[in-house]
């Protein structure tokens, strides 16, 4: 036998002896994909809202529920990455630490501060009080344990669902542009950047949208969209919990995919942030006003623009992510980062400073102005704020010098314990040729682009898609470029760690990128502190609920009219209890029901955006619930009714549920 024939025979024999791969082994080199959703809606009445820093803006009902949406991708080697988008103003370190603790108890080391990212959509219409840092709990008069628990437990449920649903699948990516959904609300600082930076953003806006398409078994199960625009379509005058424009975009896409309230989770669509620090959805007057004078309509307009463009990209996504799944994370003390010259505009080494807020922070932004004490960009010292800051929050002279040209109002990082976090979480997730860098701040578009470019330079050519996702895992204000910082507009005054905050983020995330590229570990020299002593509240809770004389809980005060046309709004008022008695997570305060013979079918709940639930304290322990339902254009003609669910607290502290039902009404064609 010739050598060639002998080699061929031996090869055949070897192949016959090798085990045949099973179906499970055949997909082991691919991805497994899971998506999930969890209700994180906080207390719906008499709790300070987070975003506009106005103590008078307290919750008084629901325009929409708040949700956490989770996306998990795993490879055949057992490596996982998880991304969560939560409809809150920002993530706090207390939330991150508690979520990690609970997931560790369930899944051991599967999810950690290396590979699990928690981000926020940055809605300004949700309740606050879920931080252990004093600054972030001022408008809620302290820590709100029920809100903290709602957010943590909802995020965990979302991750649980995504993990349980892991199955062979694919992740595809598409990139495009969306115009008309944001404006630059801080043009003067933007224009202070070099021409090369400005040229990357025609019109001074970031129009880039990135969409990930998640599939299992060839069927689409999830969408994750990234686009920079603030969650400020709902104004500081609003008192209803709302997921704002990104929440409405999620609602449109999920409903369009058949994932209505009854099938929640069958398709999950999240609209996450990138660098939205100077990007506003309020298209008029430089970010001061929305497209119309109706904040609800503005929310729908900006949400629909994002939803429509994301669906176009989603439907056209063909590039599949393939290859390595990996992650790196590290905690960094940003109060004193030594920044190398390669990351600074003047080519010299500098350092960051302990956290501080400038006097112009009190001016607020264009879409959320503060009291008329100072104006953005005013570099003169305001004696009133100087004295108030010294009394409330004294700042050492060396910190004031380090923060220059910022005129410090509050030295938030100089207190013991600090009023705002100093030890910040940084992460990079990689899914094949796509990488997400994450950081706990609101980056302006130029600052974010510099950070993104620094990460891309380290990761190299096999990663071809890059994002920076802000509002991740914690929160420490804004991040401006040094050039923007010098003008001390609102964003610069709220850049906590001084003039070189953005270069420090670029440097530290570039280090993570290099470690990920080289397969090196990234141990943390510091860890964020736990501050359980700050979990206190001076806000009185619910004392007692009482119905008015001659009525009972659930009684209908205002009945619907006899009939309504499509597009009209049905209203019904009920005697109710305080909604904080029971947040009704994964449940509802209301149902709109249609009669089917002798049965009633629920067609809408407070999870839908056609409904509103408004709570009002009439006097003492007497309160009413006003329920509205805007009849959809495709509503089936027939007989309907509205059901209200509530809970009342007795003098003994016992909480009992109740329900009330209106008379019937008809919907006409």
């Amino acid at each position: 036998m010739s050598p060639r024939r002998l080699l061929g025979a031996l090869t055949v024999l070897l192949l016959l002896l090798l085990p045949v791969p099973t179906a499970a082994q055949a997909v082991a080199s691919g991805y497994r994909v899971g998506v999930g959703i969890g209700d994180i809606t906080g207390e719906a009445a008499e709790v300070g809202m987070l975003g506009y820093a106005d103590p008078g803006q307290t919750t008084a009902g629901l325009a929409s529920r708040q949700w956490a949406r989770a996306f998990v991708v795993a490879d055949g080697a057992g490596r996982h990455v998880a991304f969560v988008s939560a409809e809150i103003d920002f993530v706090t370190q207390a939330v991150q630490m508690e979520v990690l603790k609970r997931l560790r108890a369930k899944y051991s080391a599967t999810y950690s501060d290396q590979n699990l990212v928690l981000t926020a959509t940055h809605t300004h219409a949700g309740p606050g009080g879920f931080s252990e840092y004093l600054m972030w709990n001022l408008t809620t008069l302290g820590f709100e344990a029920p809100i903290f628990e709602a957010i943590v437990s909802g995020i965990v449920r979302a991750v649980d669902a995504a993990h349980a649903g892991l199955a062979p699948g694919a992740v595809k990516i598409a990139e495009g542009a969306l115009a008309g959904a944001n404006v630059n609300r801080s043009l003067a600082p933007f224009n202070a950047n070099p021409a090369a930076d400005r040229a990357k953003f025609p019109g001074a806006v970031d129009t880039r949208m990135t969409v990930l398409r998640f599939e299992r078994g060839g069927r689409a199960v999830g969408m994750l969209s990234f686009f920079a625009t603030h969650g400020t379509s709902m104004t500081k005058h609003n008192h209803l919990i709302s997921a704002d424009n990104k929440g409405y975009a999620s609602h449109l896409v999920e409903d369009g995919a058949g994932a209505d309230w009854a099938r929640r989770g069958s398709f999950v669509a999240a609209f996450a942030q990138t660098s939205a620090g100077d990007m506003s959805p309020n298209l008029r007057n430089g970010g001061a006003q929305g497209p119309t004078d109706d904040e609800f309509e503005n929310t729908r307009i900006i949400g629909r623009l994002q939803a429509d463009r994301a669906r176009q990209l989603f439907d056209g996504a063909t590039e599949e992510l393939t290859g390595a799944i990996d992650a790196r994370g590290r905690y960094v003390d940003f109060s004193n980062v030594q920044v190398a010259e390669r990351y600074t505009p003047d080519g010299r080494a500098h350092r960051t400073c302990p956290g501080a807020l400038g006097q112009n922070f009190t001016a607020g932004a264009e879409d959320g102005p503060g009291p008329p004490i100072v104006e953005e960009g005013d570099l003169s010292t305001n004696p009133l704020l100087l004295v108030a800051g010294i009394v409330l929050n004294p700042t050492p002279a060396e910190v004031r010098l380090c923060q220059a040209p910022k005129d410090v109002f509050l030295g938030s990082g100089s207190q013991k314990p600090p009023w705002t976090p100093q030890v910040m979480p940084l992460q990079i997730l990689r899914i094949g040729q796509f990488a997400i860098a994450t950081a706990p701040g609101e980056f302006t578009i130029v600052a974010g682009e510099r950070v993104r470019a620094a990460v891309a330079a380290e990761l190299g050519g096999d990663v071809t898609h890059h994002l920076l996702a802000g509002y991740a895992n914690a929160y420490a204000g804004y991040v401006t470029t040094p050039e923007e910082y010098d003008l001390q507009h609102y964003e610069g005054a709220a850049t906590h760690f001084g003039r070189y905050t953005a270069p420090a983020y670029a440097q530290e995330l570039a280090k993570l990128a290099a470690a990920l590229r080289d397969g090196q570990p990234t141990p943390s020299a510091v860890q964020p502190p736990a501050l359980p002593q700050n979990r206190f509240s001076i806000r009185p809770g619910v004392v007692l609920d009482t119905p008015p004389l001659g009525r009972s809980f659930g009684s209908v005060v205002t009945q619907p009219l006899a009939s309504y046309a499509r597009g009209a709004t049905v209203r019904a008022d009920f005697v109710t209890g305080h909604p904080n008695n029971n947040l009704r997570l994964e449940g509802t305060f209301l149902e709109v029901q249609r009669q089917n013979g002798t049965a009633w079918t629920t067609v809408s709940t407070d999870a839908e955006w056609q409904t509103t639930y408004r709570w009002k304290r009439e006097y003492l322990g007497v309160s009413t619930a006003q329920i509205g339902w805007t009849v959809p254009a495709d509503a089936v003609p027939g007989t309907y009714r509205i059901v209200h669910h509530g809970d009342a607290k007795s003098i003994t502290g016992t909480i009992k549920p109740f329900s009330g039902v209106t008379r019937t009404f008809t919907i006409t064609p």
Side-chain angles (χ1 to χ4, degrees), residues 161-410:
H163 184 87
L166 282 170
V171 184
K172 297 176 181 176
I173 189 170
E175 296 172 325
L178 169 60
N182 56 7
V183 297
N184 196 312
R185 71 181 191 190
S186 198
L187 276 175
F190 173 84
N191 288 328
N193 290 303
D197 287 317
R198 300 197 309 271
K200 297 174 184 177
F201 300 102
V205 294
D206 187 351
T207 61
R208 295 172 295 185
M209 176 178 278
T210 299
V211 172
L212 299 182
R213 177 187 176 105
F214 294 83
E215 298 178 353
R216 279 193 310 236
R219 182 176 68 86
V221 295
M223 168 199 288
L224 178 53
S225 171
F226 294 89
F227 179 76
T229 196
H230 247 69
T232 51
S233 292
M234 298 297 289
T235 72
K236 66 178 182 179
H237 305 293
N238 164 62
H239 291 273
L240 299 183
I241 291 175
S242 170
D244 212 274
N245 57 70
K246 288 188 177 291
Y248 187 66
S250 290
H251 156 76
L252 289 176
V253 173
E254 288 175 350
D255 273 14
D260 62 20
W261 67 270
R263 298 189 296 276
R264 182 69 59 185
S266 57
F267 185 91
V268 175
F271 284 75
Q273 292 284 12
T274 54
S275 300
D278 48 359
M279 295 291 97
S280 173
N282 298 315
L283 307 181
R284 295 185 292 165
N285 299 331
Q289 292 177 286
T292 75
D293 292 333
D294 182 339
E295 61 186 332
F296 292 91
E297 181 62 18
N298 295 339
T299 298
R300 290 189 287 266
I301 289 171
I302 302 301
R304 186 175 293 279
L305 285 170
Q306 292 177 78
D308 289 348
R309 184 64 177 125
R311 279 188 287 211
Q312 290 174 352
L313 294 172
F314 183 85
D315 291 341
T318 57
E319 181 184 351
E320 187 170 338
L321 301 182
T322 59
I325 286 179
D326 210 345
R328 290 294 185 277
R330 177 188 286 134
Y331 294 98
V332 177
D333 184 353
F334 266 74
S335 67
N336 188 19
V337 175
Q338 302 300 314
V339 186
E341 56 273 12
R342 64 177 290 199
Y343 295 101
T344 63
D346 62 2
R348 299 169 57 190
H350 293 279
R351 71 178 182 89
T352 59
C353 322
L357 297 168
Q359 293 188 8
N360 291 346
F361 166 77
T362 65
E366 284 72 11
D367 45 11
I373 300 174
V374 296
E375 293 184 4
E376 285 190 282
D378 185 354
L379 295 178
S380 62
T381 299
N382 183 292
L384 175 64
L385 291 177
L386 177 63
V387 172
I390 292 173
V391 172
L392 292 172
N393 195 286
T395 306
E398 60 269 22
V399 175
R400 291 183 178 276
L401 181 63
C402 181
Q403 289 276 352
K406 178 190 291 178
D407 214 336
V408 173
F409 170 43
L410 297 175

Side-chain angles (χ1 to χ4, degrees), residues 13 31 53 102 268 272 393 439 624:
L13 180 61
Y31 294 159
R102 297 187 189 185
V268 175
N393 195 286
T624 54

Side-chain angles (χ1 to χ4, degrees), residues 330 332-345 350-353 424 426 439 443 447 450-451 454-455 479-482 495 497-512:
R330 177 188 286 134
V332 177
D333 184 353
F334 266 74
S335 67
N336 188 19
V337 175
Q338 302 300 314
V339 186
E341 56 273 12
R342 64 177 290 199
Y343 295 101
T344 63
H350 293 279
R351 71 178 182 89
T352 59
C353 322
M424 310 313 301
L426 303 177
F443 289 74
R450 290 181 184 177
V451 173
V455 171
V479 183
T480 54
T481 67
T495 295
F497 305 111
R499 191 173 190 266
Y500 299 98
T501 300
Y505 276 113
Q507 171 183 282
E508 297 305 310
L509 280 166
K511 290 179 181 177
L512 277 186

Side-chain angles (χ1 to χ4, degrees), residues 50 88 90 92 94-95 127-132 137 143-144 147-148 151:
L50 186 61
I88 52 180
F90 52 76
T92 68
V95 166
F130 48 93
S131 176
E132 288 183 339
N137 290 346
F143 184 81
E144 289 292 325
I147 294 172
F148 176 81
I151 293 170

